[in-house]
Amino acid sequence: MCLSTLKPSIGWMLILLTASRSVVNADFGDAVDPTFNCPAFTTCKQVCVAKAQDCPDEMLCPANQTLCKDGSCSSTCDASLESPCQYDCAPVACHKVDSYYDSCLSTYGPWYNNETTCGETEEELLHKYSMREPVFVILYVWISLLTLCIVAWCAYNQRIAPVSGSVQPLNVQVDKEEATSWQTGYRRHLIGSLLYGWTCLTLLGMHALLGWLSVQYYIQQELLTGVVGGKFEDEENLLKIFEILWMVFFVFSFALKWPYSIKSLFLRRCELHRATHVAVCIHKAAAESEETFNSGYMSFLRLLFANVRLTMGRIMSLIFSDVDDFGQKKGRNGTYRFCVIQTNSEGSRYFVFGFRHYNFDSDDGRFKPGVYSIGTTLSDIVTAGKVQGGLTNEEADARRQIVGPNAIEMDKPNLIKIITKEFLKPFYTYQLFMVWTWVPLYYYYMAFTWTVVITTGGLTVCYFQYRNERKLYEITNITGEVCIRRDGQVIQVSPKELVPGDVVEVTPGLTYCDMVVVASSTILMDESALTGEATPMLKTPVDEADGKNVYSANQFKRHTILAGTNVLETEKTVAVVTQTASYTARGELIRDIYSYKRHQFKFDVEVPIVISILCFYAIFGFAMVVFFIKDTIIYSWFYGMFVVASALPPLLPTVFTVSVGISSDRLAGKRISCTNAEAILVCGKCDTACFDKTGTLTKQGLEFVAANARSGVESEFFLAMGSCHTLSMTKGGKLAGNPVDQVMFEKSGSIVTSSSGAVGKVTDCNGQSATIVRHFDFDHHRMTQSVLVRKDSDNSLIAFVKGSGESIKKLCMEDNLPFDFDEALQHAAIAGLYQISVAMKKLPATIDALTVTRDEIENSLSFIGTVDFKNIIRPETAGVISHLHSGSVKTVMLTGDSVLTGICIGREAGIVGSDCGILIGSCDESGSLYWSNLRGEQCTRPPIEELLQSGTELAISGQAFGILRTADPKEAARLMDFIRVYGRCTPYDKVSIVSAYNELGRVTLMCGDGGNDCGALKTAHVGVALSDAEASTVAPFTSLDKAITSVVDVLLEGRCSLTNSLAAYRYMMIYGNVETINQLISAFFATTFTEYCWVFFDGVWVITMAFSLPLARCASKLSKTRPTASLFGSATMTSVLGVLGLNFLFLVGALAYLFSQDWFQCRKWDGQDVSNVQVIGDNYESEVIFLVTGYQYISSAFAFNFGYEWRQHWFRNYVFMAFVTAFTVMQFYITLVPGHFSCIWRVNCMNDWAVAAVTSIEPVPIQNSFNTTVMPADFRRGLLGIMIANAIAVSAWEYFIVNGARRWFAARRRSNTDNAANDVSDVFCEEELVNEVSAVNGKDEEASTKLGMGPFLDGEVMEGPCDPLPLSENSQLEQ
């Protein structure tokens, strides 16, 4: 149920419950003592006798009146009057008299005793079932025989005759790695099908029988009048049968929850070639929790309950013979799923698992993944596609039989199926049986209330699950048409018809598969939905010269079209399909989303322990109730089961789902899309944030600063600027492609003179023209991009190569490089410049440009100059980083740029300290790691302790970090606490670095704009993609506004959601325990609560508080601490036990206050018969318990609503506070003011104000010996004071003790850490560092002469701490 629809529903519920239509005046004629003196004056209890003459003299009517059936005296009696007497042996009701209560007991005690004896004798004569009647024998035989048949079937199926060869290995990828997995064949069997039907019929029959017995109870009680078919005369006999059958049915039903499913239990194991179902079992090591168990008692509890579960598991495994190939319960450490085997049109057999087809291989006798490869090299792909005519229909059909349709075969979310699946879980089976315990004993209204509560919780979970699945389905569901070449003709087909090798004529719009472009004039792609890359990407046809190269989508991105991207412009584009369905890049991402497993928290491990403790607590409570209640076990069993039901609150599994769903809605309101809502909880524990640089910390794109050419090669350098790129001309005449290439081309002043999609010929401003004959795309491993151009003037062939300074240096001839190349490169990086080095190589005119390899071109180059760009930091970046640091979130930068540039941007952003020393880790050509300062001078890295004391920070290249991690993993792990910048990172390096933080136990967040960040975004526990694609699959969170502030929003909401979840959990614990204590005390007094008290206890209050408490909004800033995720942590346990202890003390104090009252000494409840719940609720003991503990429900929730550091102030949770205010006013009013309203709860009530109860239409008189529950005014005021003091105490405990102490300890730890850091001086190169920074910021005059070349072009000089190297004031373009 959606929360927005729940709020008005709750409001209407309150209105209906307190509707004034039930309020009437009802004078039952019973005396009430208004003096509150002792002994109490009252109307004596009705005396029932066999004949009127047997009545006491005082209870006989005057001579002129007749004794009527109802015990009244009148001259004429109404024939419709009924006797209030319940026994046939004493049907006559004597006239009531008024007297003192003690006098009533002493005077008329013999008559009361005679009536009791008469009733017992009469009940002994009633017909009782011995449970040995034929119908019971049939029931015993039925259940026993079915149980034996199930055990025998499982033993035969799994152990005795498991069928050799029914289990085979299965190749399944989990997290892109091969996992240990098995496939087991099963088929339908006649005997198994009969047993399945028998079992289902029995399970349904069990509940039908419990329902029939419940109806029989109310027939026996004469509540259902006019209903024929009553089979029971004795109430206790009926209830005894109900209890025995309930327990048998409960054990039987829960035992059947152990197997994977009831249906799968009765499938017969068989060879895979005969199977109708396949059980896929994937073994995966259990994930470690985010926090470790350090405390001794937790280790003991974990070990204890693990052994209990293991013992139970062995027992159940023995019964069901339920073992897999790992010797454990199926699916315990991994996945276990039954898949239905289907048959295609050709008769081939397959099943679908994880969105992938697995086809039966008759040769191997097992199912194999449906993979079809059209080749490994580019030429293989082009040849396989038969570009001219396309595939034949026969070829396409054959391939479709292997790979299946080109679709993510996800069923459309069906709310009914989701609800059915949810309510078949063991928790709801337990709750259903608990509901049955409420049905008899006139508690059917509570059965309805519990049904509403359980259904509300379950439907809420189903709603959020349906919404998440719907969102995923919308991403996976594709519709449209595709133009393909088939049998030499161009036809339009559904995207589902595509197979690998199909030839597609690409049209604008969504793409449905991965393809390689083999022919095109122009094609421009928007890949933001898949990679997060906002810049349109140009695609070009496969180069014939690359035909022998092994195809990789990452290596040949320029030729690859990915499924799920959008074609913006295209002309005469033909592509060959390489992958379809889940094997596409988009399909892999969707599989990741669908199989997403939230990072395991400590509470994930603790929840089973909590449930186990609550089970033992429930058993203890049951035993105590049986001990307290002196009545027969028949009735005490029911009251004990009520305690069991309360000990395991019905909304316990709902609170986390509700909190996450609310936070997801709020993030959507901030234009942050969330595809994995469970990841929100992980955000609450995030302690390390990793950022890409370009487009994330800085603005999208780069600003041109300067271009510098070596003397003598200015014309070649200029031509390189205009030609060494991968730009393409759109239909509108605009250049499209890499933004850096666009800026460089525009600043060169070149123009395109010939273009057919890709730029073919360029002409510079001097009229010099050249034709681009070959492109080599940017390679992340080489860190270069190159082109071959032929000058039109002399037909010479020149190769231009551009890339990072380090990569170009390796490719150039040593004697050609400037002597100060490294120093100039370092100064540019320190200044924060993004510097591209350019080199060239003249090739023989006779060389075949189409066959020459990249290795032949990119060597022995001549350096010709550099082009400088500047990353402009986002205005909000520094504030975001500062905010994260104030929230104790470590920040690091992962950039493909140089380490020094990263340091400069890092200082400006605040990732790198502005006044601290920094060491740079690099590796030489031999692969050896060395450390240096900002001037490039090698030095020895201080030990870890000195780094910590001095505040020195580290930066390292991706390659150097890989070497360090390989050589000494432990040392690398220790140094990661000091590393702030990782430079020259390839996409693989980013994944490796994020994985390293994960292995350290850090909870990581990765923020990037997509592109080469995709792997890291998926590897981090939390990924935030800056993309405007609403259906982006690149990360769990997508900032549609592409704002880095979304990182803070996500973390704030995560901490708030985790806090709300734990607050709601604590409230459910308090609710369950308070209610359990209520019932234990009530059992001690042999009392219960009246009807509307129960409705508010278990219905109105628990729903409103549990669902409005998580509505608290997140704080406006990150605190220095993170919320706990532990159910047994000090904060959680102190909170729960403290509030529970205080509530118990105040309850005991309220009862002690009641028992100390003089007026109460003669008004105590002295009944021991609990068989009639309608007459044991009107007493002062129950009234005080309801008022005090009822308000504890409200005050405890209020205490858990305190904002702490992670939520807004308590009064900002407006919906919750509205409920608290309303319930507080209600509870205080009925405590202080007797009247019709208070009589709804039978509080401060007497017969004149009586109202109709839940189960009645007419007003019900007060069911105690004093005909009133009104308390003295001074006592009411004192009781109100206790309730207020209780609320203040629990609020103070939460605010000052739990929260205050935690904040004090956190502040003390931070203070100790800061003092330790301040007590030592910075011993590392501090003076040298200051000089370095001063030299850079002061614009060192020597910088303009570096590389022996002057400025060629210049752009706007940026102001700030990372200014570029100074340029000549007279810089201009030389003709």
Side-chain angles (χ1 to χ4, degrees):
M1 180 183 295
C2 181
L3 195 63
S4 60
T5 61
L6 179 64
K7 297 174 188 175
S9 301
I10 296 171
W12 280 109
M13 183 187 301
L14 293 175
I15 293 173
L16 291 174
L17 287 174
T18 59
S20 60
R21 62 177 178 81
S22 63
V23 178
V24 297
N25 279 324
D27 186 358
F28 293 91
D30 294 326
V32 175
D33 188 352
T35 64
F36 292 101
N37 294 325
C38 284
F41 190 81
T42 184
T43 299
C44 295
K45 179 185 173 184
Q46 190 98 52
V47 172
C48 293
V49 294
K51 303 186 296 294
Q53 295 82 350
D54 297 336
C55 289
D57 294 339
E58 298 85 351
M59 294 186 177
L60 293 175
C61 291
N64 58 343
Q65 292 183 336
T66 304
L67 182 65
C68 299
K69 287 185 178 181
D70 64 345
S72 61
C73 294
S74 177
S75 55
T76 57
C77 294
D78 190 344
S80 63
L81 294 176
E82 295 181 0
S83 172
C85 299
Q86 59 177 325
Y87 299 117
D88 294 338
C89 59
V92 178
C94 300
H95 182 59
K96 292 182 179 180
V97 296
D98 296 339
S99 182
Y100 291 102
Y101 179 66
D102 294 343
S103 177
C104 291
L105 295 179
S106 59
T107 304
Y108 306 112
W111 278 270
Y112 296 144
N113 294 334
N114 289 338
E115 181 184 357
T116 302
T117 303
C118 168
E120 293 174 351
T121 303
E122 187 175 290
E123 290 178 354
E124 290 177 358
L125 298 176
L126 296 175
H127 175 264
K128 297 182 179 62
Y129 290 98
S130 64
M131 299 194 70
R132 289 189 290 271
E133 290 79 6
V135 65
F136 291 103
V137 173
I138 293 173
L139 184 61
Y140 304 151
V141 173
W142 180 290
I143 297 294
S144 301
L145 185 59
L146 176 58
T147 302
L148 290 175
C149 288
I150 292 175
V151 174
W153 167 266
C154 294
Y156 174 78
N157 200 21
Q158 303 286 3
R159 297 183 187 273
I160 300 174
V163 181
S164 177
S166 60
V167 180
Q168 296 290 341
L170 180 67
N171 297 327
V172 175
Q173 275 194 346
V174 177
D175 296 332
K176 297 181 175 60
E177 296 181 359
E178 292 292 330
T180 305
S181 53
W182 302 87
Q183 52 184 319
T184 306
Y186 288 89
R187 65 182 175 88
R188 297 185 183 90
H189 192 276
L190 177 60
I191 297 177
S193 298
L194 291 174
L195 284 174
Y196 173 64
W198 187 5
T199 303
C200 292
L201 180 63
T202 300
L203 290 172
L204 293 174
M206 288 177 175
H207 294 285
L209 186 54
L210 290 176
W212 180 80
L213 289 173
S214 300
V215 172
Q216 288 294 316
Y217 173 82
Y218 290 105
I219 292 176
Q220 190 274 334
Q221 292 290 304
E222 299 181 355
L223 182 64
L224 296 176
T225 57
V227 178
V228 296
K231 303 296 183 183
F232 294 87
E233 296 180 359
D234 184 73
E235 177 186 1
E236 292 188 10
N237 183 233
L238 170 57
L239 295 177
K240 178 181 178 181
I241 294 172
F242 181 94
E243 293 168 2
I244 293 175
L245 294 182
W246 185 97
M247 290 185 286
V248 172
F249 296 166
F250 180 84
V251 173
F252 184 86
S253 298
F254 255 84
L256 288 176
K257 290 297 179 182
W258 179 262
Y260 174 81
S261 71
I262 296 177
K263 187 174 183 179
S264 65
L265 184 66
F266 298 108
L267 295 173
R268 172 71 175 119
R269 281 181 73 162
C270 65
E271 298 89 347
L272 288 166
H273 71 273
R274 300 173 58 203
T276 60
H277 296 72
V278 170
V280 178
C281 186
I282 302 175
H283 181 62
K284 191 177 180 182
E288 292 296 326
S289 60
E290 180 261 337
E291 299 172 83
T292 55
F293 293 91
N294 297 321
S295 57
Y297 81 94
M298 273 306 305
S299 299
F300 170 75
L301 285 177
R302 192 181 186 189
L303 180 62
L304 173 64
F305 291 110
N307 288 328
V308 171
R309 290 197 303 271
L310 180 61
T311 302
M312 289 298 300
R314 288 175 175 173
I315 294 173
M316 300 306 292
S317 294
L318 180 64
I319 293 174
F320 290 105
S321 301
D322 193 13
V323 292
D324 58 22
D325 298 274
F326 312 116
Q328 298 176 339
K329 181 184 181 296
K330 293 176 179 175
R332 171 169 296 181
N333 291 332
T335 301
Y336 192 85
R337 186 172 302 167
F338 273 80
C339 303
V340 178
I341 295 177
Q342 306 175 55
T343 304
N344 58 31
S345 58
E346 299 297 321
S348 300
R349 304 168 68 247
Y350 70 94
F351 68 86
V352 179
F353 176 77
F355 301 130
R356 290 187 172 167
H357 272 233
Y358 293 83
N359 304 309
F360 184 72
D361 188 329
S362 56
D363 295 333
D364 286 350
R366 62 191 179 101
F367 288 87
K368 294 183 177 180
V371 181
Y372 189 90
S373 174
I374 62 173
T376 57
T377 65
L378 286 171
S379 60
D380 291 340
I381 293 173
V382 175
T383 303
K386 300 181 180 180
V387 176
Q388 298 302 319
L391 302 177
T392 65
N393 285 323
E394 291 75 14
E395 289 174 327
D397 290 340
R399 296 182 185 186
R400 195 175 301 109
Q401 305 301 329
I402 297 174
V403 300
N406 176 37
I408 305 296
E409 297 181 83
M410 177 181 179
D411 294 333
K412 185 176 182 180
N414 185 303
L415 186 58
I416 301 300
K417 289 184 178 179
I418 292 175
I419 291 173
T420 302
K421 185 177 180 180
E422 177 69 20
F423 282 93
L424 286 177
K425 291 180 178 179
F427 178 80
Y428 294 99
T429 300
Y430 159 79
Q431 292 294 347
L432 177 59
F433 276 94
M434 291 299 104
V435 167
W436 279 122
T437 63
W438 287 101
V439 177
L441 295 186
Y442 284 87
Y443 273 129
Y444 60 85
Y445 66 93
M446 280 305 299
F448 174 77
T449 301
W450 270 67
T451 301
V452 170
V453 173
I454 295 166
T455 304
T456 300
L459 291 179
T460 302
V461 173
C462 292
Y463 165 74
F464 286 118
Q465 182 180 345
Y466 172 78
R467 191 177 65 175
N468 292 337
E469 290 188 12
R470 184 78 186 183
K471 184 182 297 184
L472 182 58
Y473 176 77
E474 290 171 355
I475 295 175
T476 62
N477 187 37
I478 56 175
T479 57
E481 290 186 336
V482 184
C483 289
I484 65 171
R485 296 177 182 177
R486 186 71 60 81
D487 278 332
Q489 298 180 344
V490 178
I491 60 174
Q492 286 191 332
V493 298
S494 167
K496 294 182 179 180
E497 300 295 318
L498 293 175
V499 296
D502 260 329
V503 178
V504 177
E505 293 192 356
V506 181
T507 57
L510 188 66
T511 58
Y512 305 102
C513 56
D514 288 358
M515 300 177 282
V516 169
V517 180
V518 295
S520 178
S521 294
T522 178
I523 179 169
L524 196 63
M525 302 295 303
D526 176 8
E527 298 183 340
S528 59
L530 191 68
T531 66
E533 180 60 60
T535 305
M537 304 300 295
L538 174 73
K539 302 296 179 181
T540 60
V542 171
D543 195 331
E544 294 181 6
D546 293 328
K548 295 182 180 180
N549 292 332
V550 176
Y551 171 71
S552 165
N554 289 329
Q555 183 177 355
F556 294 98
K557 286 183 178 180
R558 187 171 176 79
H559 310 312
T560 302
I561 298 175
L562 300 177
T565 57
N566 271 287
V567 180
L568 300 178
E569 293 183 7
T570 181
E571 183 177 350
K572 299 179 182 179
T573 301
V574 178
V576 176
V577 177
T578 56
Q579 297 290 355
T580 60
S582 65
Y583 290 97
T584 63
R586 177 174 177 270
E588 291 284 3
L589 289 174
I590 291 173
R591 277 168 49 87
D592 290 342
I593 294 173
Y594 193 78
S595 61
Y596 174 80
K597 299 296 183 185
R598 177 178 52 74
H599 179 57
Q600 192 177 37
F601 285 125
K602 193 172 181 180
F603 68 70
D604 292 304
V605 181
E606 292 171 338
V607 163
I609 300 177
V610 171
I611 298 299
S612 301
I613 292 175
L614 292 179
C615 288
F616 284 111
Y617 175 61
I619 295 172
F620 169 78
F622 179 90
M624 294 303 296
V625 168
V626 173
F627 173 77
F628 286 147
I629 294 181
K630 306 304 180 183
D631 206 342
T632 173
I633 185 65
I634 301 298
Y635 296 104
S636 59
W637 182 90
F638 279 96
Y639 289 94
M641 293 310 300
F642 300 157
V643 171
V644 173
S646 300
L648 290 171
L651 292 182
L652 190 59
T654 308
V655 291
F656 288 93
T657 303
V658 171
S659 298
V660 167
I662 292 171
S663 293
S664 177
D665 288 341
R666 286 202 288 251
L667 286 175
K670 297 177 181 178
R671 289 184 53 77
I672 301 174
S673 174
C674 178
T675 55
N676 286 322
E678 285 190 349
I680 294 175
L681 289 178
V682 185
C683 298
K685 298 297 290 183
C686 181
D687 58 8
T688 303
C690 306
F691 292 91
D692 176 40
K693 178 176 69 71
T694 306
T696 303
L697 295 172
T698 64
K699 294 180 180 179
Q700 189 68 39
L702 299 169
E703 291 196 11
F704 178 78
V705 175
N708 298 277
R710 295 193 73 177
S711 300
V713 290
E714 288 87 350
S715 61
E716 286 82 358
F717 177 75
F718 182 72
L719 185 59
M721 287 184 65
S723 61
C724 192
H725 53 69
T726 58
L727 299 177
S728 179
M729 189 70 71
T730 67
K731 292 181 179 180
K734 294 183 179 180
L735 289 174
N738 189 292
V740 175
D741 286 349
Q742 290 189 52
V743 173
M744 185 174 68
F745 182 84
E746 292 170 358
K747 291 295 182 179
S748 72
S750 301
I751 59 173
V752 178
T753 55
S754 175
S755 174
S756 178
V759 174
K761 181 177 288 188
V762 296
T763 302
D764 62 22
C765 55
N766 296 321
Q768 182 179 219
S769 63
T771 303
I772 302 175
V773 297
R774 188 83 180 276
H775 285 96
F776 292 97
D777 292 338
F778 181 78
D779 186 290
H780 284 290
H781 298 288
R782 296 174 181 265
M783 302 295 285
T784 60
Q785 184 259 320
S786 55
V787 293
L788 286 178
V789 301
R790 191 177 297 277
K791 295 178 64 174
D792 293 346
S793 59
D794 56 7
N795 205 36
S796 60
L797 190 64
I798 304 176
F800 290 117
V801 183
K802 74 175 192 291
S804 66
E806 296 90 342
S807 59
I808 294 298
K809 177 184 176 182
K810 295 177 183 178
L811 302 178
C812 287
M813 296 178 290
E814 290 186 13
D815 58 353
N816 178 263
L817 286 171
F819 71 93
D820 55 354
F821 180 87
D822 291 335
E823 184 179 355
L825 188 67
Q826 184 181 23
H827 272 263
I830 292 175
L833 296 178
Y834 178 85
Q835 187 174 78
I836 296 176
S837 295
V838 186
M840 63 171 283
K841 180 179 183 180
K842 292 186 177 181
L843 301 174
T846 57
I847 195 171
D848 188 353
L850 298 181
T851 60
V852 66
T853 65
R854 189 165 188 169
D855 289 334
E856 292 175 313
I857 293 175
E858 296 185 3
N859 66 76
S860 302
L861 302 177
S862 297
F863 178 80
I864 60 175
T866 62
V867 183
D868 295 337
F869 297 88
K870 175 69 176 179
N871 275 132
I872 306 302
I873 197 167
R874 290 173 181 258
E876 67 272 20
T877 295
V880 168
I881 300 301
S882 175
H883 195 162
L884 293 176
H885 288 170
S886 68
S888 299
V889 178
K890 172 185 171 67
T891 59
V892 296
M893 181 195 299
L894 312 180
T895 177
D897 212 335
S898 71
V899 177
L900 291 171
T901 302
I903 293 172
C904 179
I905 298 297
R907 287 196 190 279
E908 195 171 346
I911 293 177
V912 179
S914 60
D915 57 352
C916 64
I918 191 162
L919 284 176
I920 302 171
S922 308
C923 58
D924 55 25
E925 295 181 357
S926 65
S928 300
L929 176 67
Y930 67 90
W931 297 91
S932 61
N933 57 27
L934 286 175
R935 292 193 180 277
E937 300 167 346
Q938 292 192 23
C939 57
T940 302
R941 176 183 58 79
I944 298 291
E945 293 72 16
E946 290 188 25
L947 287 177
L948 181 63
Q949 293 174 353
S950 64
T952 301
E953 295 177 343
L954 305 179
I956 193 169
S957 68
Q959 181 182 7
F961 178 75
I963 294 173
L964 175 64
R965 195 178 180 204
T966 301
D968 192 345
K970 292 184 178 180
E971 184 71 5
R974 297 179 66 192
L975 290 178
M976 288 180 73
D977 285 333
F978 303 92
I979 299 176
R980 297 293 179 264
V981 176
Y982 297 85
R984 291 293 181 223
C985 290
T986 65
Y988 174 80
D989 290 333
K990 293 184 179 183
V991 172
S992 177
I993 293 166
V994 174
S995 297
Y997 279 113
N998 292 346
E999 292 170 7
L1000 288 178
R1002 299 291 183 85
V1003 183
T1004 54
L1005 177 145
M1006 176 67 196
C1007 179
D1009 60 348
N1012 58 7
D1013 304 317
C1014 288
L1017 287 167
K1018 301 300 293 186
T1019 303
H1021 296 117
V1022 179
V1024 180
L1026 307 184
S1027 170
D1028 55 6
E1030 196 153 354
S1032 175
T1033 56
V1034 70
F1037 300 95
T1038 302
S1039 173
L1040 302 180
D1041 292 331
K1042 296 190 279 191
I1044 192 176
T1045 53
S1046 297
V1047 171
V1048 175
D1049 292 332
V1050 166
L1051 294 185
L1052 284 170
E1053 202 61 64
R1055 294 186 179 188
C1056 175
S1057 180
L1058 186 57
T1059 306
N1060 284 340
S1061 298
L1062 268 295
Y1065 161 80
R1066 297 200 303 272
Y1067 176 73
M1068 294 310 300
M1069 289 291 101
I1070 292 297
Y1071 153 75
N1073 283 277
V1074 167
E1075 178 134 328
T1076 301
I1077 292 172
N1078 284 352
Q1079 297 186 50
L1080 288 172
I1081 296 176
S1082 296
F1084 177 78
F1085 291 129
T1087 63
T1088 188
F1089 301 104
T1090 56
E1091 296 178 359
Y1092 274 115
C1093 294
W1094 279 117
V1095 170
F1096 271 74
F1097 268 148
D1098 290 334
V1100 177
W1101 282 334
V1102 68
I1103 290 179
T1104 54
M1105 296 294 99
F1107 283 95
S1108 62
L1109 186 57
L1111 291 174
R1113 293 186 172 273
C1114 61
S1116 58
K1117 60 180 292 186
L1118 293 171
S1119 67
K1120 288 188 174 295
T1121 58
R1122 296 175 296 151
T1124 181
S1126 173
L1127 306 183
F1128 288 100
S1130 58
T1132 306
M1133 294 299 293
T1134 303
S1135 174
V1136 172
L1137 295 180
V1139 172
L1140 182 62
L1142 287 171
N1143 285 339
F1144 179 75
L1145 290 176
F1146 275 96
L1147 174 59
V1148 172
L1151 289 173
Y1153 180 52
L1154 173 66
F1155 276 77
S1156 68
Q1157 300 298 304
D1158 293 336
W1159 60 268
F1160 177 72
Q1161 304 308 314
C1162 58
R1163 291 173 173 82
K1164 295 179 182 178
W1165 181 259
D1166 56 2
Q1168 293 296 327
D1169 183 3
V1170 296
S1171 61
N1172 190 347
V1173 299
Q1174 293 183 309
V1175 301
I1176 61 174
D1178 291 336
N1179 53 79
Y1180 291 106
E1181 293 89 340
S1182 296
E1183 185 175 7
V1184 168
I1185 294 173
F1186 168 74
L1187 291 173
V1188 174
T1189 62
Y1191 194 59
Q1192 287 175 353
Y1193 282 53
I1194 314 303
S1195 59
S1196 299
F1198 174 78
F1200 296 143
N1201 183 53
F1202 285 135
Y1204 304 153
E1205 301 97 323
W1206 310 293
R1207 298 183 291 178
Q1208 290 185 5
H1209 291 297
W1210 55 271
F1211 56 84
R1212 301 291 296 273
N1213 190 348
Y1214 300 117
V1215 175
F1216 173 81
M1217 288 306 301
F1219 281 127
V1220 169
T1221 303
F1223 293 140
T1224 297
V1225 171
M1226 182 198 83
Q1227 202 76 348
F1228 287 2
Y1229 183 84
I1230 65 176
T1231 301
L1232 293 175
V1233 183
H1236 292 296
F1237 186 71
S1238 63
C1239 275
I1240 295 174
W1241 295 271
R1242 315 286 281 183
V1243 171
N1244 283 320
C1245 182
M1246 56 185 179
N1247 288 333
D1248 288 343
W1249 303 321
V1251 299
V1254 178
T1255 60
S1256 63
I1257 300 176
E1258 297 297 327
V1260 178
I1262 298 298
Q1263 301 291 315
N1264 64 28
S1265 301
F1266 315 104
N1267 308 308
T1268 182
T1269 59
V1270 176
M1271 300 174 290
D1274 58 343
F1275 178 79
R1276 297 198 298 268
R1277 290 190 290 267
L1279 189 62
L1280 179 63
I1282 292 176
M1283 295 162 59
I1284 295 174
N1286 190 354
I1288 294 174
V1290 296
S1291 299
W1293 176 267
E1294 278 293 305
Y1295 192 86
F1296 295 108
I1297 305 300
V1298 177
N1299 187 42
R1302 184 191 53 74
R1303 283 188 295 188
W1304 183 80
F1305 281 116
R1308 185 176 181 182
R1309 285 196 300 268
R1310 290 195 300 270
S1311 176
N1312 291 338
T1313 302
D1314 294 341
N1315 290 338
N1318 293 332
D1319 286 343
V1320 296
S1321 60
D1322 188 346
V1323 297
F1324 167 69
C1325 302
E1326 184 171 342
E1327 181 178 353
E1328 180 181 8
L1329 172 68
V1330 172
N1331 293 335
E1332 291 175 12
V1333 176
S1334 299
V1336 173
N1337 292 342
K1339 299 179 173 61
D1340 190 345
E1341 294 297 332
E1342 296 181 10
S1344 60
T1345 62
K1346 297 300 179 185
L1347 303 182
M1349 55 186 180
F1352 188 64
L1353 298 169
D1354 66 299
E1356 181 182 358
V1357 178
M1358 299 294 109
E1359 297 296 335
C1362 296
D1363 285 341
L1365 299 180
L1367 305 172
S1368 170
E1369 294 181 359
N1370 299 319
S1371 173
Q1372 62 180 357
L1373 176 63
E1374 296 184 11
Q1375 302 298 323

